[in-house]
Amino acid sequence: MASIDRPKILVFGVGGVGTIYLYLLSRVSSPTAVCRSNYEVVRNDGFIINSSIYGNGIRLKPNVVRDCAEATFRDSRPFDYILICSKAIGQDIPDLISPAVTPDHTVIVLIQNGIGIEAHYQATFPNNPIVSAVVYLPVTQRPAGVITHGELERLEIGSYPSSASSEHSEAFTQLIRHAGGTAEHHDDIQLKRWTKLLVNASWNPICALTLCTDANFLLSSPSSSELVSDVMLEICDIAKAHGYTIPKEILELQLGRATARIGNGNGVEPSMLQDVRAGRRMEVEAIVGNAVRMGREKDVKCEKLNMLYLLARALDSQIENKRRTS
Ligand SMILES: *[C@@H]1O[C@H](CO)[C@@H](O)[C@H](O)[C@H]1NC(C)=O
Ligand SMILES: *[C@@H]1O[C@H](CO)[C@@H](O)[C@H](O)[C@H]1NC(C)=O
């Protein structure tokens, strides 16, 4: 049903990633955006996108709503797709999107970081197709409504679970390509999730806890690269216990990249470090906690990752306390 000509699309979570897909999909459809913190700005002025790929000064004025109930109220035709592009923080997203999910029809597309993030959606919407996507898209929104996008846009897409029919994940892949995006379909998207997690679950908490970029962390002590490598090996072991072999070259490549950045004095500021600096919650559970739990489940030793998890979780709880009281 979803491969109709102009599908009806809802984008939930319109930060940097959501806005870029909103922009691309607006070439083939009239997507609606659920805006939360940026609602007023976007409703009045729309977005301005400066992109190394699509050009500068792009104006985008989407249909905006405050929540999913409002999205369905305006037009009673069911949504063909809901894209979840918000950060994976808290467990309430399935409840928030439920007014816009038509059972047996709406395809739920998760464009989120982390591992083990799909099960909660599947439990809430057992009769809807779930598409799982791994996104590579360097993009920031600062201030609200102003989007700065770097030189990469890539989506890796597959069905969830991987054994489910690929009809909907293939159709979504085609839709993104038709809109001018870069999309690859994978029969088993979980290997792609683990591969990205190797980098994200190691560097994110390390940089957030130390306030170092990756290059600065490597410079801080002769043993620091060994710690990163140990954590990455633990993640490889957890993935392996779940049937996914992350190629060794990827591990070496990733460490090599960070080391190379020492030379040019730059270094990457992973998203959790950006969050800490901005006083925002971090995706600790989706990126680190779930990996540790999946390790435990299979009796995999992952003491270093577990320690990073507990410390990052403590830091996140302080950020949350501070937000509540300010
Ligand atoms: C975006 O690009 C426009 C046009 O080139 C420029 O005037 C503006 O300063 C840029 N904004 C940001 C935030 O980079
Ligand atoms: C995750 O890792 C990729 C590289 O594999 C990196 O480009 C991206 O910034 C990281 N994202 C987060 C949320 O840390």
Side-chain angles (χ1 to χ4, degrees), residues 19-87:
T19 306
I20 294 297
Y21 288 104
L22 190 66
Y23 166 66
L24 290 174
L25 290 167
S26 66
R27 298 168 171 177
V28 294
S29 157
S30 305
T32 298
V34 180
C35 291
R36 294 190 285 182
S37 58
N38 55 4
Y39 176 84
E40 295 295 338
V41 170
V42 174
R43 196 197 50 180
N44 295 333
D45 306 325
F47 290 100
I48 295 183
I49 302 171
N50 282 6
S51 163
S52 306
I53 299 180
Y54 314 113
N56 281 345
I58 299 169
R59 291 194 167 271
L60 177 67
K61 239 181 157 227
N63 317 314
V64 295
V65 293
R66 270 184 206 277
D67 55 36
C68 291
E70 187 184 343
T72 53
F73 179 73
R74 294 236 185 124
D75 170 356
S76 63
R77 278 181 311 137
F79 283 102
D80 298 309
Y81 292 100
I82 293 191
L83 275 58
I84 313 297
C85 301
S86 59
K87 286 198 164 189

Side-chain angles (χ1 to χ4, degrees), residues 17 30 36 91 111 154 181 191 224 226 272 298 323:
V17 169
S30 305
R36 294 190 285 182
Q91 288 288 293
I111 304 184
R154 187 165 106 238
L191 176 61
S224 52
E226 195 182 315
M272 279 190 198
K298 303 276 186 188
R323 288 181 83 89

Side-chain angles (χ1 to χ4, degrees), residues 113 136 196 199-200 204 270-271:
N113 266 311
Y136 290 87
K196 188 174 184 199
V199 183
N200 290 166
N204 265 303
S271 65

